[in-house]
Amino acid sequence: MNKLRFLLPFALFAGVLSGCSDDPTVVFSPPEIELDPSTLDFGPVQVGTRVERKVAIKNIGDSPLTIDSVDRGEPFLDDVYSYDVSVTAIAPNQSAFVTIVFEPEDEAEYLSQLVIKSDLDDAIIQIRGEGVATTLEITPPDLSFGNVVVNTTKSLPITVRNTSMIDVTIGYGGENNVRLCREVANAGETFCLSFRDALNADGRFLLPAGAQTVIDVEFTPVIAGTRERGQFVLSGCNSSVCDQEIDLDGLGVESGFRCTPDTLDFGQVNPGSCLTRTVSCENIANEQITIINWATVTNGNNPSSPDFTVEPSSVLVLNEGETLDVDATYCPETLGDDTGTLRIETNNPNPSARDVFVPLVGTGGGPDIEVIPLEINFGLVSTLAPARRSVLILNAGFDTLDITGFVEDVAQTGAFSAPTATQVSLEQGESITIPIEFLPTQEGLFESGFTIQSNDADEPEVTVDLTGEGIVLPPCNFVAAPTSMSFGVVEATRSIRRAFEIQNVGADQCLVTSAEMTPGSDMAFSLPDGEVTSQLIEPGASLTVNVEFAPQQSGTYAGGVEFSISDPNNPFNTIDLSGTGADATLLIVPNDLDFGTIGVDCAARARLVTMYNTGSTPATITSIAMAAPANAAFRIVSQPAPLPGANLVLQPGASAEFSVGFQAGSSESSYAGAVEIAGSFNGAQVTYIVSLLGRSAKDATQIDEFEQLGTPKVDIMFVIDNSCSMSQEQDAIATNFQAFIQFAQAQALDYQLAVTTTDVTTSGENGRFVPITGNAANRIVTPQTQPTPEAVFADNVSQGTSGSASELGFEAAYRALTAPNIVGHNAGFLRQDAVLSIIFVSDEPEQSANTADFYINFFLSIKGFRNSNLFSASSIVGDNPGGCNGAGGSASAAPRYIEAANRTGGVFQSICTADWSRSLEDLSTAAFGFKSRFFLTNQPVISTIVVYIDGVAIPGTTMQGTVNWTYDFATNSINFSPFSTPEPGATVRVEYTAECL
């Protein structure tokens, strides 16, 4: 501590010694002042508070010290400092005290002095202090209790934190409709406070710097429907500058259980159809609610119609803010109005609030309008020529639907019109197609709508959103080829694609504004790549449009594709389509060839096409030629003898091959063509089509994209050897099936599993799924199969050992996937958008009559050769070249089965394994569509291949020498190593420069 001392002059004391003492040996020391402390620092002090400090004035001499005065120094701030001293003399070795008070009024530093005057020199006390404002952080700053059931209490916390550098004493007051919870409530006080830190007699509590405390606030409403409000103040000092107001509010309710909507109106529902709507109930208050039951009211004077049903009820506890959704379903059996009531019972002790009743209303019958699509984007359209798109209006109801009017251009842009739209009445199931045209009046974006008005009670108006963008272009000069496309004969349930070209033969850009199926086209025709919009064609280039033909049964089919283009003289053009579905056909593989992208003026490697006679009588091929009009970019490179000019006869089971080449022109373009195969099959004249596609680009970069598990649907067929030596293996598959199925369960796949055997005799399965008799639903096992998929599959796979000793696995799979089985006994197994996997299990070699090429090509053709990644064949068979012996048994070598696995990206597992669980687990990923091999569209320049997974380039080999992937020339595929296989959901992109010949 700082101390100051003040001494009397020595001369005074010398005189005292010579004249005032009888004893010349006594010497008196002079008085001496010491200040403790000499500098007084109050430090930070809360504005509006008062702090006292004392300074000791000590006489440490032997003579009395007289204090003349204590005066203010310069400056002395009377408004913040005050002092008190009453002593005028201080005996030797005694002290007097000056009390100094600091009361800061603002946030600032205050410097001052006090001067002690005595018979010594002046003694000065330096004074310093700092006014600070306490910062209280109150969370939340205002408190809302929401809904609280009357005569119950809800408690919420408020956190108060002292974020300043000083301790603070906090006061509570200014309450309005608020009391301390320990006090008795006065009339109308619905809020009360509980301080976790005890209050002193002045109603204050200390909160140290940086500390926090919690105040519990309770709300107890007594009147329902009244919003209560309250307020109290927390203050860190005696000044209003420290006051912080906390507002409180809450609403008292009779019940905290509320259901919406008040009435569940189903509108009009056609008899025989069902509609489900939801009643949503919420606990909106503080009380926990127990839902005891819900059901339609079936007794009393107005019982509910049996057409209303609700999901089974259960006991459910709802805390505040939690909801219950109850699904109610209306399935009218007849025309007319129906009513009902949904009763939801709770544990509310108040009988008047225990149940919630929701009326149910609906009408069976009436017109029901459906409009497809509900939005049309025309994209870019030339200001010279209109684009046209179609809207389908369907009456899905039971009464007549009257189309009473249209608003062709809701926004009145002047660009949209429906020139053929007319008022019409549609009977049940009838529909009408209305073309809508867009002719922009200028460049830029147009937005409007097309409104259809009808007598549909719940949808009197339906609006189709319309958008389009105008662009200024010169008139287009184009040629479409061919103007009509025949798809020839296609086996029912199979598909073929063919494309037409739109060639820009002018000097300016052409804009194809749309291409869509014409109204009335058979559903067997579709645009597999979607409708075309806003495609620019450069001079000399072409745009190809793919069309798919997929007949579901035998017969003739017809349709058309309409495209609009920026030619004011011919804005709308139609390509006629025709095709025939047949129960049996020649197998042409592949039936469409995509040469991918090659460089301009380059040629691609010729592609081989094989024709198989799958019938029981000879087939005659009279010609193999380019379909008219021939496209010069494609040519037939080789033909089988004795063609041309003579007939080629294919005996049952025989095959013949021809090859097709592709030569790109000198400009970037797309090319389309077809090969036409004419002849007779099963006594009928037939024409088969092999469609051709190709593209040219200056950089010749081909991009192939794949998605690992791109579809969650998988169809898997097991072909099980049921000859005399297979009992042990069948048991092993059934016992360890969980190891196989766990991948599908983990990925939540939509799978179908079916089993047939290698016995194709008339007394055997002959390609039919088991069970042959009994429960037909168990022939195709799904995740929903009861009692469990595992149990049913175990029964299906256990086919015994009495089957034929001629194990014809390929032939069995072939018969399973062709007519009559696939459209009869095995119907429902093949799904167009699903991955197809075949798993062969046998301890003998494959012995079917046809070549392995035939069967493998047939299996690949089911999904189409451009979709080869949607198929795989896997094999659990004997090892090459000498078979195997092991804990799982012994087996002969099965080279054909193993070849099928290698060529289709499947998996080979030894049937002699001792660990069936591990083998089935390894097999499952490939069987369920999880690929490690990806087949390329074009022949690459190997050094240019770049592989990406989810956009990240993956080197073929790491710096440490680990192989990530390799290119296999024989199968033209990228093959990932086991540790680098893309994960489910990953996107694989392979970029490469196409080979130029």
Side-chain angles (χ1 to χ4, degrees):
M1 182 173 289
N2 298 322
K3 298 180 181 180
L4 293 180
R5 296 181 178 181
F6 298 87
L7 303 176
L8 289 173
F10 177 76
L12 290 174
F13 282 92
V16 170
L17 290 175
S18 63
C20 299
S21 176
D22 295 332
D23 185 354
T25 63
V26 176
V27 179
F28 294 94
S29 65
E32 183 178 349
I33 292 178
E34 181 179 87
L35 299 178
D36 188 9
S38 61
T39 298
L40 181 60
D41 190 345
F42 284 88
V45 175
Q46 169 66 47
V47 171
T49 60
R50 182 177 186 275
V51 178
E52 293 184 0
R53 296 285 190 271
K54 292 182 182 296
V55 175
I57 306 174
K58 297 180 179 179
N59 180 3
I60 60 174
D62 295 327
S63 300
L65 173 65
T66 299
I67 302 298
D68 296 330
S69 65
V70 177
D71 296 331
R72 296 169 173 80
E74 293 296 334
F76 190 83
L77 306 175
D78 291 310
D79 51 351
V80 294
Y81 290 115
S82 61
Y83 66 93
D84 179 40
V85 61
S86 57
V87 178
T88 58
I90 304 173
N93 296 316
Q94 297 298 314
S95 300
F97 294 91
V98 178
T99 301
I100 303 173
V101 178
F102 179 37
E103 296 181 274
E105 297 176 345
D106 297 299
E107 295 182 73
E109 183 182 36
Y110 298 93
L111 302 175
S112 191
Q113 293 180 340
L114 278 182
V115 180
I116 311 295
K117 293 186 178 292
S118 65
D119 43 7
L120 303 176
D121 291 339
D122 292 347
I124 298 175
I125 303 173
Q126 302 289 346
I127 305 172
R128 180 194 173 280
E130 182 182 356
V132 297
T134 304
T135 303
L136 296 181
E137 182 181 272
I138 299 177
T139 308
D142 297 305
L143 200 59
S144 179
F145 285 81
N147 301 311
V148 179
V149 177
V150 294
N151 298 317
T152 67
T153 298
K154 181 177 181 179
S155 179
L156 293 175
I158 289 178
T159 301
V160 182
R161 183 169 178 263
N162 180 4
T163 61
S164 61
M165 67 181 87
I166 60 172
D167 300 346
V168 62
T169 300
I170 299 175
Y172 145 74
E175 60 271 22
N176 173 24
N177 196 20
V178 179
R179 61 180 172 83
L180 295 177
C181 294
R182 65 171 181 257
E183 297 176 349
V184 178
N186 294 319
E189 290 178 336
T190 53
F191 298 97
C192 71
L193 310 178
S194 292
F195 290 84
R196 296 188 185 180
D197 290 314
L199 300 178
N200 61 22
D202 296 330
R204 306 181 73 85
F205 63 91
L206 178 67
L207 189 61
Q212 68 180 36
T213 189
V214 175
I215 303 172
D216 295 305
V217 187
E218 296 180 1
F219 174 46
T220 309
V222 295
I223 302 175
T226 301
R227 182 166 295 280
E228 302 280 358
R229 289 181 170 80
Q231 185 184 81
F232 68 96
V233 175
L234 295 179
S235 181
C237 67
N238 294 327
S239 172
S240 62
V241 72
C242 299
D243 291 350
Q244 296 196 49
E245 295 180 350
I246 297 93
D247 292 323
L248 312 172
D249 75 84
L251 178 66
V253 294
E254 285 287 355
S255 172
F257 191 57
R258 179 179 64 189
C259 295
T260 56
D262 297 332
T263 299
L264 199 59
D265 188 348
F266 290 87
Q268 294 181 321
V269 179
N270 292 324
S273 299
C274 294
L275 178 64
T276 298
R277 294 191 186 276
T278 301
V279 175
S280 184
C281 302
E282 181 182 6
N283 182 355
I284 62 172
N286 61 308
E287 269 193 330
Q288 191 179 71
I289 296 173
T290 299
I291 308 300
I292 298 175
N293 180 54
W294 63 79
T296 56
V297 177
T298 57
N299 52 14
N301 296 328
N302 296 299
S304 298
S305 165
D307 293 345
F308 295 104
T309 58
V310 296
E311 61 179 328
S313 66
S314 60
V315 177
L316 183 66
V317 176
L318 296 183
N319 295 309
E320 182 177 1
E322 294 181 340
T323 60
L324 162 70
D325 289 339
V326 178
D327 289 338
T329 302
Y330 177 45
C331 302
E333 293 185 357
T334 60
L335 302 176
D337 295 334
D338 293 295
T339 60
T341 303
L342 171 63
R343 172 178 175 261
I344 303 174
E345 181 184 1
T346 72
N347 66 334
N348 195 315
N350 182 355
S352 64
R354 180 175 300 147
D355 297 329
V356 174
F357 296 93
V358 180
L360 310 174
V361 296
T363 301
D368 185 11
I369 188 172
E370 288 191 10
V371 179
I372 303 172
L374 289 175
E375 58 181 43
I376 295 176
N377 183 356
F378 286 86
L380 285 175
V381 176
S382 167
T383 56
L384 287 178
R388 188 156 64 196
R389 303 291 291 277
S390 297
V391 170
L392 175 70
I393 304 174
L394 169 69
N395 180 9
F398 277 78
D399 290 340
T400 301
L401 176 68
D402 296 325
I403 307 299
T404 57
F406 301 93
V407 180
E408 297 182 17
D409 187 4
V410 172
Q412 298 182 348
T413 64
F416 298 97
S417 64
T420 63
T422 183
Q423 297 181 12
V424 68
S425 294
L426 299 176
E427 298 303 323
Q428 176 186 347
E430 288 186 341
S431 63
I432 185 175
T433 299
I434 298 179
I436 300 177
E437 296 184 4
F438 171 50
L439 180 59
T441 56
Q442 59 185 19
E443 284 190 311
L445 182 66
F446 291 80
E447 295 180 333
S448 189
F450 174 65
T451 297
I452 304 143
Q453 300 164 339
S454 74
N455 65 334
D456 186 326
D458 61 334
E459 287 185 293
E461 290 190 347
V462 177
T463 297
V464 179
D465 294 331
L466 306 176
T467 57
E469 185 175 355
I471 183 174
V472 175
L473 289 173
C476 168
N477 190 5
F478 74 98
V479 171
T483 56
S484 63
M485 289 198 305
S486 171
F487 288 81
V489 178
V490 177
E491 185 176 341
T493 73
R494 309 296 288 276
S495 65
I496 184 176
R497 291 185 182 185
R498 190 174 175 186
F500 63 90
E501 280 188 38
I502 305 172
Q503 304 166 0
N504 183 351
V505 296
D508 300 300
Q509 286 181 320
C510 285
L511 175 63
V512 177
T513 54
S514 67
E516 61 180 356
M517 302 304 302
T518 58
S521 293
D522 282 320
M523 297 296 292
F525 296 103
S526 65
L527 299 176
D529 301 324
E531 295 180 351
V532 177
T533 58
S534 305
Q535 294 290 316
L536 284 168
I537 309 175
E538 298 298 324
S542 297
L543 170 69
T544 55
V545 179
N546 278 314
V547 183
E548 185 171 76
F549 176 49
Q552 295 305 300
Q553 57 189 13
S554 60
T556 58
Y557 296 83
V561 176
E562 180 185 82
F563 68 90
S564 54
I565 194 166
S566 54
D567 179 357
N569 297 319
N570 298 289
F572 303 113
N573 302 265
T574 300
I575 307 297
D576 295 324
L577 309 174
S578 62
T580 301
D583 291 334
T585 66
L586 286 180
L587 176 62
I588 313 294
V589 289
N591 61 359
D592 56 69
L593 292 176
D594 186 350
F595 287 88
T597 301
I598 63 175
V600 295
D601 293 323
C602 286
R605 192 182 298 269
R607 305 285 181 90
L608 196 65
V609 178
T610 305
M611 303 173 292
Y612 297 94
N613 182 359
T614 61
S616 57
T617 60
T620 300
I621 306 298
T622 57
S623 66
I624 302 173
M626 299 302 300
N631 190 321
F634 303 100
R635 65 186 182 93
I636 297 175
V637 176
S638 64
Q639 296 201 45
L643 296 176
N647 292 341
L648 169 66
V649 177
L650 290 178
Q651 297 298 325
S655 64
E657 299 174 339
F658 65 91
S659 60
V660 181
F662 171 49
Q663 170 72 56
S666 58
S667 62
E668 294 186 323
S669 187
S670 296
Y671 303 87
V675 174
E676 193 172 79
I677 305 168
S680 60
F681 179 72
N682 285 345
Q685 294 299 312
V686 293
T687 300
Y688 300 101
I689 298 294
V690 177
S691 64
L692 309 174
L693 281 176
R695 292 166 295 281
S696 61
K698 292 180 180 178
D699 62 1
T701 298
Q702 175 73 39
I703 300 176
D704 293 338
E705 286 194 342
F706 314 93
E707 186 173 353
Q708 185 70 288
L709 283 181
T711 172
K713 294 184 178 180
V714 187
D715 299 330
I716 301 177
M717 179 174 66
F718 279 81
V719 182
I720 302 293
D721 184 347
N722 63 339
S723 63
C724 61
S725 59
M726 283 294 294
S727 175
Q728 182 178 358
E729 289 83 356
Q730 292 179 21
D731 290 344
I733 294 176
T735 303
N736 294 280
F737 179 65
Q738 182 59 41
F740 176 82
I741 203 68
Q742 63 186 0
F743 179 82
Q745 294 171 337
Q747 299 297 326
L749 300 182
D750 177 6
Y751 62 82
Q752 293 189 151
L753 300 174
V755 175
T756 191
T757 73
T758 57
D759 186 350
V760 298
T761 63
T762 55
S763 60
E765 284 65 38
N766 200 19
R768 294 172 296 172
F769 295 153
V770 296
I772 301 299
T773 59
N775 188 357
N778 285 349
R779 292 172 187 164
I780 300 176
V781 178
T782 72
Q784 290 76 41
T785 296
Q786 296 298 322
T788 66
E790 293 87 343
V792 174
F793 180 82
D795 288 341
N796 290 352
V797 82
S798 300
Q799 287 303 305
T801 58
S802 59
S804 171
S806 296
E807 292 91 342
L808 310 182
F810 283 173
E811 182 65 21
Y814 173 76
R815 296 187 185 188
L817 299 173
T818 54
N821 283 336
I822 199 60
V823 294
H825 186 88
N826 298 347
F829 175 73
L830 273 182
R831 295 177 293 179
Q832 187 174 5
D833 56 346
V835 170
L836 173 63
S837 294
I838 303 176
I839 300 174
F840 298 98
V841 183
S842 177
D843 60 358
E844 295 291 340
E846 206 289 316
Q847 303 170 48
S848 300
N850 267 313
T851 65
D853 270 345
F854 166 75
Y855 290 110
I856 294 171
N857 280 329
F858 167 77
F859 298 142
L860 287 169
S861 72
I862 294 175
K863 293 300 174 181
F865 278 76
R866 69 178 68 198
N867 299 317
S868 56
N869 287 289
L870 294 180
F871 172 76
S872 69
S874 295
S875 303
I876 306 178
V877 295
D879 304 56
N880 274 342
C884 63
N885 287 282
S890 61
S892 301
R896 282 163 54 107
Y897 286 131
I898 296 174
E899 179 186 359
N902 290 336
R903 286 175 57 181
T904 63
V907 171
F908 157 71
Q909 292 286 331
S910 175
I911 199 170
C912 300
T913 180
D915 189 354
W916 274 89
S917 175
R918 179 62 181 271
S919 291
L920 287 172
E921 181 181 353
D922 292 344
L923 174 68
S924 67
T925 54
F928 284 107
F930 193 65
K931 299 292 186 180
S932 61
R933 172 177 293 181
F934 297 88
F935 297 94
L936 303 184
T937 301
N938 217 327
Q939 203 74 34
V941 176
I942 298 176
S943 61
T944 66
I945 298 175
V946 182
V947 177
Y948 299 86
I949 298 180
D950 290 333
V952 178
I954 307 298
T957 305
T958 67
M959 296 181 64
Q960 292 74 31
T962 302
V963 175
N964 289 325
W965 57 266
T966 58
Y967 170 74
D968 180 52
F969 183 85
T971 59
N972 194 31
S973 63
I974 298 296
N975 299 275
F976 285 92
S977 64
F979 297 106
S980 301
T981 301
E983 294 294 322
T987 297
V988 178
R989 187 172 85 251
V990 183
E991 296 184 5
Y992 54 90
T993 299
E995 185 181 51
C996 180
L997 300 180

